Amino acid sequence: MQKHSGKNTTRSTALTAIGRTLLVIACTYIISVLVASCARMGQPDGGWYDEVPPRVIGATPGERATNVNQQKLEIRFSEYIKVENATENIIFCPPQLEQPEIKTTGKAIEIELKDTLKPNTTYTIDFSNAISDNNEGNPMGNYTYVFSTGKQIDTLEVSGYVLDAETLEPVKGSLVGLYSNLEDSAFTSQPMLRVGRTDGDGKFRIRGIAPGKYRIYSLMDSDADYKLSQRGEMLGFSRDIIEPTCKPDIYQDTTWLDTLRIADIKQVPYTHFLPDDICIRAFTQKLTDRYLIKTERNEPERFSVYFSTPSDSLPKLRALNFNDSAAFAIETSEHIDTITYWLKDTMLVNQDTLRVEMTYSMTDSLGAMVEQTDTIDLLPKIPYEKRQKLKADKIEDWLKKAEKQRKKGREPSEPHPDSLALKTEISIPSKMAPNQNIMLSFETPLQNLDTAAIHLYSKIDTLWYVAPMEIISEGLPPRTYVIRGEWRPGIEYSLEIDSAAFVDIYGKVSDPLTQGVKIASEEDFGSLFVNMRGIQNDSAQVIVEMLDKSGNPKAQSIVQDGTAEFYYIQAGEYYLRCIIDANRNGKWDTGDYNLGLQPEEVYYLPESVVCKEKWDITKEFNIHNNPLYKQKPRSLVKQKGEQKKKSIDRNLKRAQDLKIVYDRDAVNSKF
């Protein structure tokens, strides 16, 4: 029995050893899996996202330190961080004319100031949202590091918005600066004293301001000198004197359990800095220096000359290697700053190099207008021989296609490449209103337009009658003509153009054309009457524009007796824009800083206007009902602002997917 018992004991010991071995293997496997899981980069599926931003745990010199005299700074954080677009996002105040050196070292930012420190001055380094953690990219958000070279810290702030004066579009990346020197010349002769920069919503904040009186300016500073030194720099100014102040105030802090349920609403005290609603209308001044920008001959049959500013006369051309007698058909822009010369002689079109001597007016270094003469070689982009080869290839290709179509019993669908037919583009609105017209356009300038060969007929009952019409081109783009008639609602018209009604400068003639035109009935349209309120400039002309959903003007009306009237409006959603046309020239005009001239005022109705068929709608438009920075409808704003990463929203989505209640505070406490 004892011997048998010994065998059982031996077997039990062996099983125990095997069990221990298996246990060790299992534990080792589990530990290795856990280690591998911990070592794996990224967020495990189904887990919460880290939504806690980095926090500052120390700095040298310390935050809000006084009597600082060192130019090397270090800020330390609770985790590894990164800085995005330091040059664009970080604002140093006072502004640094020599760019500071900024680098990240794991959990710290090191900064070396290159400019000499100013005595008794508060320095602020506004990081905005440039700092985020290295993994999830959670932005720290509006962090500002402050120290002073004197005995005290200046703590006042001002804030507001910069908008494009013409469109009320938020201006992103513009400097906004204060001057304690209240003279107008300070903006052009001295760097800004305290600065901020606008974000994607056009909003700015200037910190570390001492008590006092200031003037404020905005500037797209292209040469980084913190003052207006280039006429092409976008700028804004205000004649108001700013005196920063502050007061104790309270705001409501709402804590949410989820998207529908509020956990708590707390009354949180804070220091309210004023003014916080400054609005600067930024604009670009008209260039006054006149110079030749470029000449180009993109097509062999024409060349163009571009100047920086308008002129009241054409440049003088003298041909050096061809006969320029009646050689050109000339087209100009409205202000004669762009001139296009069409070559009427096909021999000149085929000539690769045209050499001309051009005499024009330009501004010299002292700002005076002088005459300048240049010799210019005009070469087409594609040489003559290559053009001939391309033309031959095109003809050969056309012949092959025409042969295939004729074998199928059809005539060629496209004209021969050497066809002398002049192509006429005709544009008729699909639902033509009585206040619209027919547009004609041509690829080349016309040599002759025979108005007697253009006929318009109207259908009354079953009979056709000659209808009055005229064709005009004045005030239109080159090679564009309008056929204007006395269009009557619900009436059918026929536009008939005889052969050779139009002949271009190369002898091409137009084919005959017949086009039916049906004018929509009055019941297909609505009307809109806009009562304008808050207009204070009695001498100005007030223009109201109807805009489509893309912000493009669709109709315009001059305010008469306080009302702008719009007729024959197609059903749809529109927006309203108002221009205070101070000089009554029918368009918006920019400002001029040297003359102290602000740009003409522009206002938007914040909400859309829905027009319907057969409806007459009356709308009140008070230009002062809303602050300027809140007027432009959000759907029309192209600069949508900064799209900051919000991991809290990702966690909310994760919670909804898991069908659990998402307590934001509880989740935040896990990290």
Side-chain angles (χ1 to χ4, degrees):
M1 290 293 293
Q2 290 179 350
K3 191 174 182 179
H4 179 73
S5 177
K7 288 181 179 180
N8 288 341
T9 301
T10 302
R11 183 182 300 169
S12 176
T13 302
L15 290 173
T16 302
I18 293 171
R20 288 175 179 172
T21 301
L22 292 174
L23 181 61
V24 169
I25 292 172
C27 290
T28 302
Y29 174 75
I30 292 172
I31 291 172
S32 65
V33 170
L34 291 174
V35 170
S37 177
C38 292
R40 186 183 303 130
M41 298 297 293
Q43 180 67 38
D45 291 341
W48 299 107
Y49 291 99
D50 174 10
E51 60 187 34
V52 178
R55 57 186 175 85
V56 176
I57 60 174
T60 306
E63 291 197 67
R64 305 183 67 80
T66 56
N67 298 314
V68 173
N69 57 12
Q70 66 188 76
Q71 294 185 248
K72 290 187 177 181
L73 319 170
E74 183 186 58
I75 307 171
R76 298 177 293 278
F77 298 87
S78 59
E79 56 183 306
Y80 289 98
I81 54 95
K82 59 185 176 182
V83 177
E84 296 183 359
N85 298 326
T87 303
E88 296 180 9
N89 293 331
I90 301 177
I91 295 292
F92 290 85
C93 206
Q96 304 293 292
L97 297 180
E98 187 174 354
Q99 189 66 32
E101 182 180 330
I102 306 170
K103 60 181 181 179
T104 57
T105 57
K107 296 182 180 181
I109 296 175
E110 295 179 356
I111 301 171
E112 183 177 357
L113 302 177
K114 301 296 185 179
D115 288 1
T116 302
L117 294 177
K118 298 179 179 180
N120 300 314
T121 300
T122 296
Y123 278 75
T124 61
I125 305 176
D126 186 350
F127 290 91
S128 185
N129 285 290
I131 301 173
S132 59
D133 66 55
N134 201 44
N135 292 326
E136 293 291 345
N138 297 309
M140 189 170 179
N142 297 322
Y143 170 62
T144 302
Y145 173 70
V146 183
F147 67 89
S148 175
T149 58
K151 296 181 180 180
Q152 64 182 24
I153 299 287
D154 296 324
T155 60
L156 294 176
E157 301 178 6
V158 298
S159 58
Y161 296 84
V162 177
L163 306 176
D164 185 301
E166 184 178 8
T167 64
L168 299 193
E169 188 75 12
V171 177
K172 179 183 178 182
S174 176
L175 288 178
V176 185
L178 296 178
Y179 284 90
S180 58
N181 183 342
L182 305 182
E183 299 294 328
D184 291 343
S185 59
F187 189 31
T188 59
S189 60
Q190 303 171 15
M192 296 171 173
L193 180 65
R194 311 295 302 182
V195 297
R197 181 176 277 125
T198 56
D199 61 15
D201 294 315
K203 187 170 184 179
F204 68 87
R205 185 182 305 276
I206 305 174
R207 296 181 167 94
I209 306 172
K213 296 182 178 181
Y214 300 90
R215 291 274 296 275
I216 190 166
Y217 303 85
S218 71
L219 180 67
M220 294 296 287
D221 191 19
S222 60
D223 52 1
D225 61 355
Y226 295 92
K227 62 183 178 182
L228 178 61
S229 56
Q230 306 285 336
R231 193 167 179 84
E233 292 176 327
M234 191 179 199
L235 70 111
F237 67 97
S238 172
R239 292 301 183 192
D240 298 335
I241 303 298
I242 294 175
E243 293 189 66
T245 60
C246 64
K247 65 176 183 178
D249 211 334
I250 293 175
Y251 74 90
Q252 290 186 343
D253 184 19
T254 303
T255 304
W256 295 83
L257 287 176
D258 52 40
T259 54
L260 299 176
R261 295 183 295 171
I262 296 175
D264 191 16
I265 301 177
K266 298 179 181 179
Q267 303 293 318
V268 181
Y270 77 104
T271 301
H272 191 163
F273 294 100
L274 298 168
D276 61 354
D277 59 353
I278 301 168
C279 192
I280 302 175
R281 297 185 301 124
F283 61 95
T284 302
Q285 303 180 94
K286 286 183 178 179
L287 292 175
T288 56
D289 292 343
R290 191 168 194 266
Y291 54 89
L292 177 63
I293 298 175
K294 65 177 179 178
T295 60
E296 62 182 14
R297 189 182 172 192
N298 289 333
E299 302 295 336
E301 65 269 15
R302 65 177 184 250
F303 63 90
S304 298
V305 181
Y306 301 87
F307 291 96
S308 60
T309 58
S311 174
D312 56 2
S313 62
L314 291 169
K316 299 173 184 177
L317 291 187
R318 185 171 73 90
L320 299 180
N321 66 342
F322 63 95
N323 182 5
D324 60 0
S325 177
F328 307 122
I330 303 175
E331 295 176 347
T332 68
S333 60
E334 180 182 0
H335 301 293
I336 319 183
D337 50 5
T338 301
I339 307 104
T340 298
Y341 296 85
W342 287 81
L343 303 171
K344 298 167 69 174
D345 189 344
T346 54
M347 294 291 292
L348 294 181
V349 173
N350 295 332
Q351 185 170 326
D352 276 347
T353 301
L354 300 176
R355 183 172 292 111
V356 298
E357 184 181 84
M358 183 169 65
T359 302
Y360 57 93
S361 298
M362 63 166 288
T363 309
D364 66 9
S365 58
L366 299 178
M369 294 297 290
V370 297
E371 283 203 340
Q372 170 73 20
T373 299
D374 294 336
T375 299
I376 303 170
D377 286 339
L378 300 161
L379 287 80
K381 285 190 173 181
I382 304 176
Y384 174 74
E385 290 185 2
K386 187 173 182 179
R387 294 200 306 271
Q388 291 297 99
K389 175 66 167 59
L390 292 173
K391 183 178 179 180
D393 292 343
K394 190 174 183 180
I395 291 174
E396 184 179 355
D397 184 58
W398 183 90
L399 291 172
K400 290 179 180 179
K401 290 181 179 178
E403 182 64 23
K404 289 181 180 179
Q405 290 175 328
R406 288 192 180 101
K407 287 181 178 179
K408 296 179 180 179
R410 299 196 299 263
E411 286 300 314
S413 57
E414 297 180 1
H416 190 279
D418 280 340
S419 171
L420 291 178
L422 174 64
K423 186 177 180 181
T424 304
E425 294 282 351
I426 183 166
S427 176
I428 301 176
S430 59
K431 193 176 183 180
M432 188 164 167
N435 60 349
Q436 293 178 306
N437 291 296
I438 299 171
M439 302 287 292
L440 300 176
S441 60
F442 303 90
E443 294 180 342
T444 50
L446 296 185
Q447 183 71 35
N448 184 57
L449 189 160
D450 185 3
T451 56
I454 304 173
H455 316 280
L456 184 68
Y457 303 96
S458 60
K459 186 178 183 181
I460 308 298
D461 295 328
T462 59
L463 300 177
W464 290 94
Y465 298 88
V466 175
M469 54 79 66
E470 62 177 346
I471 182 165
I472 58 176
S473 61
E474 186 176 352
L476 297 172
R479 291 166 276 123
T480 302
Y481 300 83
V482 166
I483 294 179
R484 188 162 58 188
E486 295 179 359
W487 314 113
R488 297 168 58 186
I491 298 298
E492 184 179 350
Y493 292 83
S494 176
L495 175 66
E496 299 179 10
I497 301 176
D498 297 340
S499 177
F502 308 107
V503 182
D504 77 353
I505 59 175
Y506 302 115
K508 289 188 175 183
V509 297
S510 59
D511 288 332
L513 182 149
T514 299
Q515 179 68 54
V517 182
K518 179 64 182 292
I519 307 301
S521 66
E522 290 186 344
E523 293 185 349
D524 293 329
F525 302 98
S527 300
L528 174 65
F529 305 95
V530 184
N531 296 325
M532 298 302 301
R533 301 288 183 263
I535 308 296
Q536 298 172 346
N537 188 345
D538 295 334
S539 64
Q541 176 176 263
V542 181
I543 303 171
V544 179
E545 293 179 330
M546 286 188 67
L547 312 176
D548 61 18
K549 292 182 179 180
S550 298
N552 301 314
K554 303 301 290 184
Q556 176 179 291
S557 175
I558 306 297
V559 174
Q560 302 288 344
D561 299 324
T563 302
E565 300 178 351
F566 297 90
Y567 297 97
Y568 301 114
I569 303 172
Q570 293 190 11
E573 184 178 10
Y574 299 92
Y575 298 90
L576 297 178
R577 174 176 180 252
C578 167
I579 300 172
I580 309 300
D581 183 18
N583 61 3
R584 306 179 70 87
N585 67 347
K587 63 180 182 179
W588 179 86
D589 287 292
T590 190
D592 191 305
Y593 181 73
N594 292 331
L595 299 177
L597 181 66
Q598 291 280 8
E600 290 182 334
E601 298 172 29
V602 171
Y603 301 92
Y604 281 79
L605 186 68
E607 67 269 13
S608 64
V609 178
V610 177
C611 295
K612 299 180 179 180
E613 296 176 352
K614 298 184 289 187
W615 280 43
D616 293 337
I617 299 174
T618 300
K619 197 72 178 179
E620 298 291 319
F621 186 173
N622 191 320
I623 61 176
H624 299 303
N625 267 0
N626 296 276
L628 207 59
Y629 58 87
K630 290 184 177 180
Q631 287 194 9
K632 189 168 187 178
R634 194 65 181 170
S635 59
L636 296 185
V637 175
K638 296 179 176 59
Q639 175 61 53
K640 295 298 185 183
E642 307 294 338
Q643 298 297 323
K644 302 178 181 67
K645 187 180 290 185
K646 298 292 185 182
S647 60
I648 192 168
D649 294 329
R650 296 180 301 170
N651 279 334
L652 174 59
K653 179 63 169 60
R654 179 60 53 82
Q656 292 172 340
D657 292 341
L658 298 175
K659 298 181 179 180
I660 62 175
V661 175
Y662 175 41
D663 186 328
R664 299 182 181 211
D665 292 336
V667 173
N668 287 339
S669 67
K670 295 178 183 292
F671 301 99

